[in-house]
Amino acid sequence: MHFKAAALAALLAVSSPDASSAFGIASTRMTSSFVQSSRSLPTFTTAHSRRAGDIAVSARSSRRSSVALSMLIDSNGGIEELEELCRKEDSANPLAKSVGKSPSLFRLGGNAAIPAAAALGFALTPPGIAVSAVGAGISGVAGIIGKSRIDAAAEAAAKPAIARAIIEAGGVDSDSVASEIALVKDDFGVDDEDFASMCSDVYQRYLIGMVKNPIAKTGDLKELSQLRSALGMDNLAAGEAHASAAREFYRQTCLFTPEEDLDDPDHPDRMSIDKFLFLSERAFRQAGETDEAFKFEMSRVAKAFGITMDEALDRVADVAEPFYRRALASTRSKLETGQVSSDMLRRARKSLGIDDVTATDLHVSTFNDEIKELLGKDTEEELDPASLKFPEGAMDRLNKLKDVLGLTDEEADYEIQNEATELFQAKALSTMEEAFAGLVDASAAWEAMSTRQSELCLKDSQMKTLLSSMVMQSLGKPLEETMTFAKVNNEAATYDKLVDCLNAKETCKAVLGLSGWSEFDDFDAKFFDPWAPDSACGLLSPDKRLTLYRMFLRRSVIKSESKKELTDELYEKVMEVKGMLGITDEQVEEEMKAQFGPELMKALQVATNEIIGDDYTPELVTNLKEKVDKVISDYRLSDSLVLEYGANLYLKAVGVVSQNTPSGIPSKEKMEALDGLRSLLRLSKEDTYPAHLEVFGEVYKRSVLEAMGPTGVIRPEFREPLVDLRARLGVTEDAARQLFLDAVKERMVPMVEDLVLELERTMLNQQQLAQKRQKDFGEDVFKSGRSGAGKLGIGAEGYLMTDMMNLVDFYSENDVAEQKEVGTKTITKTVKEGDETREVEEEVPDFETVYPITGLESGALEEEMAELLFRQFAVGAFTVQGPQGARYEGSKETFGKIIGLTDEKMEEVASSIGGQVYENLIRNSMMTKGQLDQQDMMMLANVQNKLGIAAEKGEEMLTDCQKKILSEEADDLLNNEGATPEMLKAFREKCNSMGMELEADVGISKSRLVRMFEVEVTPGLMKGEITIESGEVLGEIQESLGLSPEEAEKIFENLIEKQAKFTLGQVKGEFLRGRDDEVAPLIKRLATFSAFANGEIELDVDESTAYKIVNLYDAFDFSEEDAEAVEANKEALKTAMGLPVE
């Protein structure tokens, strides 16, 4: 029987120290012939100082006692966790523990086998020991220990060995720990992947051990970094380790800690989790992870703890900030030693992961703490703010600290000002109170403030801000106190307090004036604009400020001797209060009106009643004006208020005068009284026009209507009196013109409505008219039922023309139309200079006629009826001859404008009439003559002139009529099955002679043009009149029809093919009936068609028939025809028949 060497090693490993001594191998050095001679087994010694069963297995064992002592002195959570790992692994797997003590021996033993009997009998049996005892020991080994089990034990022992390497090295900061860990891999023969996994497990356990102590230390970051380096872990392995450790630690924590405790930032377990997050964030960042990789790894850790990444980063910041605060505190304490710098702080921020925003806030807070300490504000004792100040050299120290912290001048100045404000204000306010009380003058007050500025190291810019604040408080507080009296309507106290505020304001103004700073030059604008940031009165709402002003104004009048006036002195104070309270001019005006307006109104009312009474004299106006002026002067009232009251009073006065006049037209004396009242009320003539128009406007309009009389036209003798009446009534020319137009409209609307009614009677029967008008018109005596009559096919109802001309006369003779300047135009005129004359150009105004009142604008008719009326007028002007016709023609445009038509609409109506006339004339001429002659063209020109149709429009209408007539003729011709080629030819030549294109102008479709071509060409083809030499004839037809050469060629090819197939069918029919002697003309025609197409015709014919046709063609008599042409036709025929050509 053979035993492997590993069995021997196992036996030794599990034996007791006594047993080892008994075997006499405690100090025996053993070599094996089964391993390389260059590597010997380690020496086994008995370690009496150790616990029973421990055996020293390497040179590293000599350091164990010192390491254990060190651990007792400085406890480390990570080391403790690794020790716990070792204990659990040893107790769970004794064989692994044994392998861990001598991994090299076990590896060597696994590679060799020795006879058990020899090993036990000769090598292991000590003197005096029975062989049976040895046999019993061998039996305990249970036979052979296999290699695979030894390898598994070696792998299980490797991880505790890594942990022991770190423990024995005294921690991760040892220089040798990395090499010791590397030896473990070699000693235990673990492959790279398994070893990396073991290192990751050790890292996780160490990390969990670190965070079990909830107190984070700066050394933790370095310790974790050194551990990772010693274990040789890359970024990916570290990320996996942190994620796995997070899940395991959270699982352990959740077993004993409820969720509400984990939500408490001060709970130890919550602090441990936050520490874990902090160490993870630093580990990822310091490893140089990309942003994407960092987010991925950090989000995995956050997810393991059931929080979002943003929340995790916030908790990391909460852990990091205390470290940095301690660094900043150290910076302050070592500031004067020169041992601190901004670079040191930058490195600390980078190490802790403090972002720039957080760092800035902490720097500002640190700077603020230093300011408080220098000022003595860092004590809980009650101190007098006016006594605190910076010590000597304080600014130098603050400037050093500012540079180290990297603060800007603005940030440092703000913090200094922020802390010094309270101290400055305490002194400034007390000083101003003394100045208000008259205890110190302005110069002494300014000196005290200037001294305080130096004590608090305030810059001028900061001083200006503080002084502005001081003024706001010094004056704002008294104003608020004044409001307490105003709330209870204590006007006397309110008045006195406002006077005190005015005095305080002057004192502040004097003190700040000594500063020499331009910012305080316009004192009122800076401190008493209610919307300015430094406003002293801005603390009061607009309503409260207005209340204070109202009380002061009212009390000021009572303070006067007469108690009914504002003296110059009182008015000056009122204006000062106005400025101090930020009251606007508009508000002052409203308050003056509310307080003293009734007095003014009373005086004006009395004056108005006296003046428009029955006893008016010019002296009365003078005396009353003096009384009114005194009221205005006493109460400092504005002219605008007088005008406001005066306008209403004057309107009422004019109404009274009109009511007291039977005809409504005032007498000359009453108009003089009104003019005197106007002067007293300080109104201009323009101010009185609205009142006169409102009262006397209807009077003037009624007079215009009366002047029109029954004809509606104002006679010349009435026009001058109307002008005089306008002047007496005080109505402006523009207003009188509008009243005149109103009167015109009132007379004109019925005239237009009558025209519409008459026109409807000519167009509608009795029932239709009654239905439209909703009125019974009796017997139908108006509508004849006949269509329009006349030489040109149009007619007009003559009696309408008279009424329409009456409307034109009414409009024209009353000069209703107006000339409006629309710009300028250039005219040429002849000037004489001496004996010579020459033409010069001159710019003159350009006017257009405007019709202010129209039928459409007045609503007297609708646009459709307006067009019909104008049509009737135009037809009448066209059909009537002689002087009356000329009169109608001259009034046509005027009538159109009166009823409200535009130039475009009138031209459209005239064109429609002209179009009808043109069509009738052209149709008659073309039906009788075939075309228009010179006489017809002259008549069309006459129609064009009479209807006012432009030349271009006339040409367009002529063309349209011709197109319409030709299109109708084309429809009749092409829809007629009996249309002959001659008829088609005559029609197209007719169109060509008139310059009309058949498709574009006449509107003949392409398919119809094709048909016309085929109808005209087919007879010639069938008769042989059109041959290959007939290209000129075909070209003429093609051009005449408006076809392109390509289109005509395609049509002709299709026609040839169709006729050829038709002819071939006839030939076959003759052959079928045995009439071969009658096919000669048909075969010749077929040959001709084939020649046209060069034989390229797809004919459906069998070979025998084809040869028969060609043979017959050869037999025909062609003696009188050109031989070459006959031969060419034959070859084309053979090609068409599909026969070979020689």
Side-chain angles (χ1 to χ4, degrees):
M1 177 180 293
H2 290 81
F3 284 91
K4 289 189 177 181
L8 175 61
L11 178 61
L12 295 176
V14 299
S15 63
S16 65
D18 295 337
S20 300
S21 301
F23 280 98
I25 61 171
S27 12
T28 303
R29 181 178 181 86
M30 184 177 72
T31 61
S32 173
S33 61
F34 297 98
V35 296
Q36 298 178 7
S37 59
S38 60
R39 180 127 181 212
S40 60
L41 291 173
T43 303
F44 287 80
T45 60
T46 302
H48 300 285
S49 62
R50 302 188 184 280
R51 150 175 83 80
D54 288 346
I55 301 177
V57 295
S58 71
R60 287 171 287 172
S61 301
S62 61
R63 294 194 300 269
R64 279 192 176 179
S65 58
S66 61
V67 170
L69 180 61
S70 174
M71 290 298 295
L72 289 173
I73 295 173
D74 185 15
S75 176
N76 182 294
I79 296 296
E80 292 175 356
E81 191 70 18
L82 294 185
E83 290 175 340
E84 180 65 21
L85 169 65
C86 292
R87 285 193 293 270
K88 288 184 178 180
E89 292 290 341
D90 290 347
S91 62
N93 195 341
L95 179 59
K97 174 182 177 183
S98 300
V99 173
K101 294 179 179 180
S102 184
S104 300
L105 177 60
F106 270 74
R107 288 179 57 228
L108 291 173
N111 295 324
I114 60 174
L120 298 176
F122 300 99
L124 298 178
T125 304
I129 301 297
V131 176
S132 60
V134 176
I138 295 172
S139 299
V141 176
I144 299 175
I145 302 177
K147 177 181 181 298
S148 59
R149 185 177 177 192
I150 294 302
D151 291 343
E155 291 180 1
K159 182 161 61 174
I162 297 173
R164 287 193 183 92
I166 297 172
I167 297 171
E168 293 169 3
V172 294
D173 57 345
S174 173
D175 295 337
S176 62
V177 67
S179 59
E180 297 291 340
I181 293 173
L183 284 175
V184 172
K185 178 176 179 296
D186 296 335
D187 290 345
F188 286 84
V190 183
D191 61 33
D192 292 343
E193 183 177 353
D194 290 341
F195 188 73
S197 177
M198 294 174 187
C199 290
S200 178
D201 290 344
V202 171
Y203 184 89
Q204 295 176 41
R205 297 297 294 268
Y206 197 95
L207 176 58
I208 291 174
M210 290 179 69
V211 300
K212 284 184 177 179
N213 179 4
I215 306 301
K217 299 177 293 184
T218 53
D220 291 340
L221 299 175
K222 182 178 180 182
E223 183 179 349
L224 196 60
S225 177
Q226 289 173 337
L227 173 63
R228 174 179 169 177
S229 177
L231 293 173
M233 298 173 65
D234 58 16
N235 289 356
L236 182 60
E240 290 290 342
H242 276 265
S244 298
R247 289 191 291 269
E248 175 61 22
F249 183 66
Y250 190 63
R251 184 189 66 79
Q252 297 175 10
T253 305
C254 288
L255 289 176
F256 306 102
T257 308
E259 289 291 336
E260 55 267 22
D261 288 342
L262 293 180
D263 291 336
D264 180 7
D266 296 326
H267 193 276
D269 288 342
R270 164 63 183 270
M271 294 172 64
S272 292
I273 293 176
D274 291 349
K275 180 179 178 180
F276 192 109
L277 293 170
F278 170 68
L279 293 177
S280 297
E281 189 271 345
R282 287 292 81 210
F284 299 150
R285 285 296 190 191
Q286 292 176 354
E289 292 279 21
T290 63
D291 289 342
E292 292 77 8
F294 171 80
K295 291 178 181 178
F296 173 73
E297 300 293 2
M298 196 65 198
S299 62
R300 287 206 296 172
V301 174
K303 183 178 180 182
F305 290 115
I307 60 177
T308 64
M309 182 174 173
D310 290 340
E311 184 180 354
L313 293 178
D314 289 341
R315 289 163 69 164
V316 167
D318 292 340
V319 175
E321 283 187 20
F323 291 116
Y324 195 61
R325 287 185 184 275
R326 289 196 290 272
L328 293 174
S330 176
T331 299
R332 287 179 57 198
S333 64
K334 299 178 181 180
L335 184 63
E336 301 298 338
T337 65
Q339 298 178 0
V340 292
S341 66
S342 58
D343 287 339
M344 294 174 62
L345 291 177
R346 180 180 56 78
R347 290 194 294 271
R349 292 197 299 275
K350 183 177 180 182
S351 175
L352 295 171
I354 303 295
D355 61 72
D356 292 341
V357 175
T358 303
T360 300
D361 292 342
L362 294 176
H363 288 187
V364 170
S365 177
T366 301
F367 191 77
N368 184 268
D369 292 341
E370 183 67 23
I371 294 172
K372 290 180 179 178
E373 182 176 334
L374 291 173
L375 286 173
K377 296 175 68 175
D378 59 339
T379 178
E380 296 181 359
E381 299 179 7
E382 291 189 5
L383 300 173
D384 180 12
S387 65
L388 299 181
K389 60 182 179 180
F390 281 116
E392 190 74 22
M395 286 308 298
D396 293 338
R397 179 175 174 81
L398 288 176
N399 285 330
K400 288 181 183 178
L401 183 59
K402 178 198 73 173
D403 294 338
V404 172
L405 296 177
L407 299 179
T408 63
D409 292 341
E410 291 75 13
E411 290 171 333
D413 290 345
Y414 176 81
E415 294 302 317
I416 294 173
Q417 178 181 341
N418 188 50
E419 295 301 327
T421 296
E422 177 188 3
L423 310 183
F424 178 83
Q425 288 180 341
K427 180 65 176 177
L429 291 175
S430 62
T431 302
M432 289 308 301
E433 289 177 359
E434 293 175 355
F436 293 161
L439 300 179
V440 297
D441 58 11
S443 177
W446 174 248
E447 182 64 27
M449 293 183 190
S450 180
T451 301
R452 192 58 175 156
Q453 176 186 3
S454 300
E455 292 175 348
L456 296 176
C457 301
L458 294 171
K459 296 180 179 179
D460 285 352
S461 59
Q462 297 171 318
M463 187 67 171
K464 294 172 185 176
T465 302
L466 292 175
L467 288 176
S468 297
S469 176
M470 181 269 297
V471 172
M472 289 175 59
Q473 295 185 56
S474 298
L475 297 179
K477 183 178 179 182
L479 286 174
E480 288 183 323
E481 293 174 350
T482 304
M483 195 63 212
T484 60
F485 296 102
K487 288 180 180 179
V488 295
N489 293 323
N490 189 342
E491 290 190 359
T494 300
Y495 180 89
D496 294 339
K497 293 294 290 184
L498 285 174
V499 171
D500 292 342
C501 289
L502 287 177
N503 295 333
K505 171 192 166 186
E506 293 302 319
T507 299
C508 289
K509 187 175 181 179
V511 172
L512 267 62
L514 295 174
S515 68
W517 292 327
S518 60
E519 287 82 356
F520 301 132
D521 289 346
D522 193 346
F523 190 85
D524 288 350
K526 182 173 181 60
F527 294 110
F528 295 103
D529 179 357
W531 312 116
D534 299 327
S535 175
C537 64
L539 299 175
L540 298 176
S541 67
D543 291 341
K544 291 180 179 179
R545 289 186 281 107
L546 193 58
T547 298
L548 293 177
Y549 175 78
R550 185 181 300 121
M551 288 186 174
F552 192 86
L553 176 64
R554 193 159 51 231
R555 195 67 183 177
S556 296
V557 173
I558 297 175
K559 286 277 187 180
S560 67
E561 184 176 351
S562 65
K563 301 188 183 303
K564 291 185 178 182
E565 63 177 319
L566 275 174
T567 63
D568 293 341
E569 180 183 356
L570 292 171
Y571 183 71
E572 183 179 353
K573 282 189 176 183
V574 168
M575 289 298 100
E576 290 179 3
V577 170
K578 166 188 174 289
M580 183 176 67
L581 295 176
I583 304 300
T584 64
D585 293 340
E586 291 76 14
Q587 290 174 318
V588 169
E589 187 72 21
E590 288 297 321
E591 287 303 316
M592 288 292 189
K593 177 181 177 181
Q595 298 295 328
F596 314 122
E599 292 293 330
L600 175 62
M601 189 64 174
K602 180 180 178 181
L604 292 176
Q605 186 67 62
V606 171
T608 300
N609 294 338
E610 289 289 340
I611 291 173
I612 63 174
D614 296 331
D615 193 12
Y616 167 79
T617 63
E619 290 76 10
L620 176 64
V621 175
T622 302
N623 295 331
L624 291 174
K625 189 173 184 303
E626 290 180 357
K627 293 183 178 182
V628 171
D629 289 345
K630 185 177 187 309
V631 173
I632 295 172
S633 175
D634 287 347
Y635 291 110
R636 312 286 174 155
L637 300 176
S638 64
D639 289 341
S640 61
L641 184 59
V642 178
L643 290 174
E644 179 182 344
Y645 289 160
N648 291 329
L649 288 172
Y650 189 84
L651 176 60
K652 293 179 181 179
V654 172
V656 171
V657 170
S658 177
Q659 292 173 3
N660 294 335
T661 304
S663 63
I665 301 176
S667 63
K668 182 177 180 182
E669 290 76 14
K670 287 297 182 183
M671 292 305 298
E672 290 178 356
L674 286 175
D675 192 59
L677 177 61
R678 177 188 63 77
S679 174
L680 181 140
L681 296 176
R682 304 186 182 187
L683 299 174
S684 64
K685 280 188 174 293
E686 290 73 15
D687 294 332
T688 63
Y689 286 151
H692 282 257
L693 177 61
E694 182 176 342
V695 175
F696 298 129
E698 284 299 319
V699 175
Y700 182 79
K701 178 182 175 182
R702 186 170 64 249
S703 300
V704 172
L705 289 171
E706 291 174 355
M708 287 181 177
T711 63
V713 177
I714 300 177
R715 292 170 13 196
E717 58 267 25
F718 291 152
R719 297 194 176 190
E720 191 63 31
L722 283 175
V723 173
D724 295 339
L725 177 62
R726 178 193 66 77
R728 174 182 291 186
L729 295 178
V731 179
T732 64
E733 290 186 15
D734 291 341
R737 175 66 180 175
Q738 187 58 50
L739 291 170
F740 167 75
L741 293 177
D742 291 344
V744 168
K745 182 178 180 179
E746 190 172 321
R747 288 294 297 267
M748 174 180 153
V749 167
M751 299 174 69
V752 176
E753 290 176 343
D754 289 343
L755 289 176
V756 172
L757 178 59
E758 292 299 324
L759 179 62
E760 288 177 342
R761 285 174 172 173
T762 65
M763 299 169 58
L764 305 175
N765 58 31
Q766 177 185 358
Q767 290 77 16
Q768 291 172 332
L769 186 61
Q771 183 178 3
K772 181 174 183 180
R773 292 284 182 167
Q774 298 296 312
K775 180 179 178 182
D776 185 5
F777 284 87
E779 294 296 328
D780 184 13
V781 297
F782 303 103
K783 180 168 172 50
S784 63
R786 295 177 298 167
S787 61
K791 291 184 294 182
L792 299 177
I794 60 175
E797 299 293 340
Y799 52 82
L800 267 177
M801 295 299 297
T802 301
D803 292 339
M804 288 189 283
M805 284 304 300
N806 289 339
L807 177 61
V808 173
D809 293 341
F810 166 80
Y811 211 94
S812 301
E813 294 182 22
N814 281 321
D815 295 328
V816 180
E818 302 171 350
Q819 296 296 313
K820 180 181 178 181
E821 186 174 348
V822 294
T824 60
K825 62 181 179 179
T826 303
I827 63 172
T828 302
K829 65 179 183 178
T830 303
V831 296
K832 187 174 183 180
E833 297 179 352
D835 296 334
E836 297 182 357
T837 59
R838 62 186 183 89
E839 292 184 347
V840 296
E841 292 184 349
E842 182 180 355
E843 291 284 334
V844 297
D846 187 17
F847 295 91
E848 71 173 2
T849 303
V850 178
Y851 293 78
I853 306 296
T854 66
L856 286 175
E857 178 269 335
S858 65
L861 77 169
E862 297 176 352
E863 186 170 0
E864 181 182 2
M865 294 305 299
E867 294 178 16
L868 290 174
L869 280 174
F870 182 74
R871 180 183 180 86
Q872 289 295 110
F873 195 97
V875 170
F878 179 75
T879 56
V880 176
Q881 303 297 323
Q884 188 69 3
R887 182 168 178 262
Y888 289 165
E889 187 66 32
S891 303
K892 183 174 62 176
E893 181 180 356
T894 301
F895 178 76
K897 292 288 187 178
I898 290 173
I899 61 177
L901 296 180
T902 62
D903 292 336
E904 294 76 14
K905 184 59 69 175
M906 288 189 290
E907 184 176 355
E908 179 183 334
V909 174
S911 298
S912 67
I913 299 172
Q916 184 177 350
V917 174
Y918 268 44
E919 183 176 345
N920 292 338
L921 191 151
I922 294 170
R923 188 181 298 278
N924 292 336
S925 297
M926 293 183 69
M927 289 176 62
T928 56
K929 307 174 187 178
Q931 60 182 4
L932 299 179
D933 56 17
Q934 185 176 3
Q935 183 179 0
D936 296 329
M937 297 304 294
M938 291 178 62
M939 181 172 291
L940 290 176
N942 183 41
V943 172
Q944 177 181 319
N945 291 332
K946 293 205 69 175
L947 292 176
I949 301 173
E952 295 79 5
K953 186 67 176 178
E955 292 180 6
E956 180 183 341
M957 291 168 57
L958 173 60
T959 302
D960 290 343
C961 288
Q962 289 177 329
K963 289 179 181 179
K964 181 179 179 182
I965 293 171
L966 289 174
S967 179
E968 292 174 356
E969 186 177 344
D971 287 340
D972 294 340
L973 182 62
L974 295 175
N975 291 332
N976 183 6
E977 294 294 337
T980 64
E982 292 74 16
M983 296 169 62
L984 292 176
K985 180 179 180 182
F987 176 73
R988 65 176 174 79
E989 289 179 348
K990 176 181 178 181
C991 293
N992 294 154
S993 66
M994 297 174 66
M996 298 290 176
E997 294 184 10
L998 294 176
E999 183 178 11
D1001 297 328
V1002 182
I1004 300 176
S1005 64
K1006 185 71 70 176
S1007 60
R1008 285 191 165 192
L1009 291 176
V1010 171
R1011 180 186 165 197
M1012 291 177 67
F1013 185 89
E1014 292 177 345
V1015 170
E1016 200 169 340
V1017 171
T1018 298
L1021 282 174
M1022 302 302 290
K1023 295 176 182 179
E1025 296 173 356
I1026 295 180
T1027 65
I1028 296 177
E1029 289 79 17
S1030 303
E1032 184 175 345
V1033 175
L1034 295 174
E1036 187 272 330
I1037 297 174
Q1038 167 247 316
E1039 292 180 359
S1040 177
L1041 292 175
L1043 298 172
S1044 66
E1046 294 77 11
E1047 291 174 332
E1049 183 178 351
K1050 183 66 176 176
I1051 297 170
F1052 188 71
E1053 289 176 357
N1054 293 336
L1055 179 61
I1056 289 296
E1057 184 172 351
K1058 181 171 68 173
Q1059 293 299 330
K1061 291 180 179 179
F1062 176 73
T1063 303
L1064 177 60
Q1066 288 181 310
V1067 171
K1068 290 180 179 181
E1070 294 297 326
F1071 284 162
L1072 183 64
R1073 291 166 177 77
R1075 293 196 290 262
D1076 294 3
D1077 55 341
E1078 297 182 7
V1079 298
L1082 296 175
I1083 292 177
K1084 288 182 179 180
R1085 187 184 307 158
L1086 184 60
T1088 302
F1089 291 158
S1090 300
F1092 272 117
N1094 293 323
E1096 298 178 0
I1097 303 176
E1098 296 181 2
L1099 297 177
D1100 183 14
V1101 58
D1102 58 83
E1103 185 177 357
S1104 60
T1105 304
Y1107 275 111
K1108 183 177 181 179
I1109 292 173
V1110 172
N1111 292 334
L1112 287 173
Y1113 184 84
D1114 284 336
F1116 295 154
D1117 181 12
F1118 294 108
S1119 57
E1120 296 181 0
E1121 299 183 22
D1122 183 61
E1124 292 183 1
V1126 171
E1127 186 62 27
N1129 288 351
K1130 175 183 174 182
E1131 292 184 358
L1133 178 62
K1134 292 172 69 176
T1135 300
M1137 295 293 171
L1139 299 177
V1141 180
E1142 298 177 358

